[in-house]
DNA sequence: CTTGCATAGTCATGAATGTGAGTAGTCATT
DNA sequence: AATGACTACTCACATTCATGACTATGCAAG
């Protein structure tokens, strides 16, 4: 049950609609969790029923009405309790790692293609996160911002996202190089 | 459906029983996937029914009999197909990130405790993976091994595991430092 | 002499997550 | 005038993952 806490954590930034959250949790800036829109709507409904978030209808013209949610005091207390509880260790779970684990017995060309694609995606995310970090800290340096800024939570998680994707990219390019070199070595015989 | 492929990938290393796989997929060397014993037994049963792995009973004395599994040709073909298919992007999903995202509104002390614990766990994993890497490459250098060794798949995934845990540890210590400094700065006022 | 741990598994159940499809209006493009 | 894209959300179902409890046997430490 960590999705509910991820939603609560996202909502301490301000009021958001399910649709806005869905954007944030999807492809874009899912730097600390990922979820499908359907999950979010369902979770928001549950959270509201339990009084951890409060929603209010906002009429719009030219587009459908929306419901904005904010965290209640009970929601904050729930987050507090969640933070105090010990976190389960995070594990990597990546299709690509499974494929590389099997690298010695499967077609290398297909694998290299996958790795190349992934390296590109990682690079794109690095750029995205970099822009987000600059936006968050404004004209301050990182040190300055982390010392005196308010709302450093999103910044810190984003830093982790950047580091993860850099690692991702570097490992992909390294692995590609290794696989390519071995392929050429085999071809020479 | 990536667990099945993770099992297949693990089995190209040789014959293993469900129990042995469970050990490898659990706390120890889950450097490319993680699963509970029950999942593995269930998956192995399914894979055998579909002919992707073949099991054979091995009688033992002093301990229960076991069933060793190996990948069949059909299993290798399945792995091949899996490798060719495009991998879904890996996302971080970590309770700890959710907690840090909420850092601006929850108790910092509890959070720092969590981060400290996690940093320690990461450090332990780094040591574990380091030992595994040395065992895998024997007396060769890494370059040498990656160029000419056979079965480099596990080595490459383990490299990724090490890098991930180092990143993990560094980010934890950095985040701890930031939170602590802010706490002290607040205390001075 | 019994408590606890390791081997080697099975069964059942619930929670979390993913996927596909559908509704309904607005706006811009072709 | 139709097609597709964006906002905003809902329903239903399937798959995957996690959890606890349980059965056996053998071995070693206290």
């Amino acid at each position: 049950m960590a999705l509910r806490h991820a939603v609560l954590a996202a909502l301490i930034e301000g009021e958001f609609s399910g649709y806005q959250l869905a954007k944030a949790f999807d492809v874009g800036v899912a730097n600390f969790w990922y979820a499908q829109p359907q999950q979010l709507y369902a979770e928001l409904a549950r959270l509201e029923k339990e009084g951890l978030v409060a929603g209010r209808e906002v009429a719009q013209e030219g587009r459908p009405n929306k419901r904005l949610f904010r965290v209640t005091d009970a929601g904050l207390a729930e987050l507090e309790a969640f933070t105090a509880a010990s976190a389960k260790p995070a594990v990597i779970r990546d299709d690509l790692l499974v494929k590389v684990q099997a690298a010695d017995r499967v077609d290398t060309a297909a694998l290299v293609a996958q790795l190349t694609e992934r390296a590109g995606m990682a690079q794109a995310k690095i750029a995205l996160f970099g822009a987000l970090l600059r936006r968050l800290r404004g004209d301050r340096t990182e040190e300055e911002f982390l010392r005196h800024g308010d709302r450093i939570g999103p910044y810190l998680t984003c830093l982790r996202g950047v580091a993860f994707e850099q690692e991702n990219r570097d490992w992909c390019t390294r692995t590609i190089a290794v696989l390519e070199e071995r392929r050429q070595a085999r071809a020479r015989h």
Side-chain angles (χ1 to χ4, degrees), chain A:
Chain A
M1 267 211 289
L3 173 58
R4 64 188 308 115
H5 300 110
V7 170
L8 289 172
L11 286 178
I12 67 176
E13 290 278 303
E15 279 188 325
F16 294 104
S17 69
Y19 190 77
Q20 286 174 297
L21 283 179
K23 289 279 157 190
F25 276 72
D26 203 48
V27 278
V29 192
N31 48 3
F32 74 103
W33 204 262
Y34 168 83
Q36 248 94 19
Q38 297 93 322
Q39 287 173 257
L40 290 170
Y41 286 116
E43 198 60 54
L44 282 169
R46 266 195 298 274
L47 285 168
E48 191 178 25
K49 208 177 66 187
E50 293 172 36
L52 304 183
V53 305
R56 63 183 181 95
E57 189 94 14
V58 173
Q60 299 186 114
E61 44 189 68
R63 56 186 59 179
N65 294 350
K66 62 182 174 183
R67 302 202 64 217
L68 291 183
F69 294 90
R70 62 175 183 80
V71 183
T72 63
D73 289 345
L76 267 184
E78 172 68 26
L79 256 184
E80 197 75 59
F82 173 69
T83 303
S86 90
K88 61 180 67 164
V91 286
I92 310 184
R93 241 182 195 175
D94 187 348
D95 280 8
L96 201 45
L97 278 179
V98 174
K99 295 178 184 184
V100 170
Q101 174 84 16
D104 303 309
R105 297 290 293 274
V106 301
D107 178 34
T108 303
L111 191 48
V112 166
Q114 296 291 313
L115 286 162
T116 306
E117 190 189 337
R118 178 62 66 85
M121 281 165 42
Q123 186 60 52
K125 275 220 161 185
I126 292 169
L128 199 74
F129 288 164
L132 178 57
L133 287 175
R134 277 191 298 280
R135 217 189 66 216
L136 285 173
R137 73 169 173 260
D139 50 5
R140 283 169 289 192
T141 67
E142 184 163 302
E143 278 309 311
E144 243 299 288
F145 174 74
L146 286 177
R147 216 167 280 150
H148 306 297
D150 42 311
R151 290 191 322 210
I152 58 166
Y155 196 92
L156 288 168
T157 56
C158 196
L159 278 181
R160 174 70 187 283
V162 170
F164 177 76
E165 293 297 348
Q166 279 171 348
E167 173 45 44
N168 217 345
R169 179 198 57 191
D170 294 347
W171 178 80
C172 283
T173 54
R174 168 99 164 104
T175 301
I176 290 167
V178 167
L179 292 177
E180 287 292 358
E181 203 200 311
R182 288 170 67 92
R183 206 163 60 81
Q184 279 161 28
R186 264 205 315 285
R188 277 198 296 276
H189 292 291

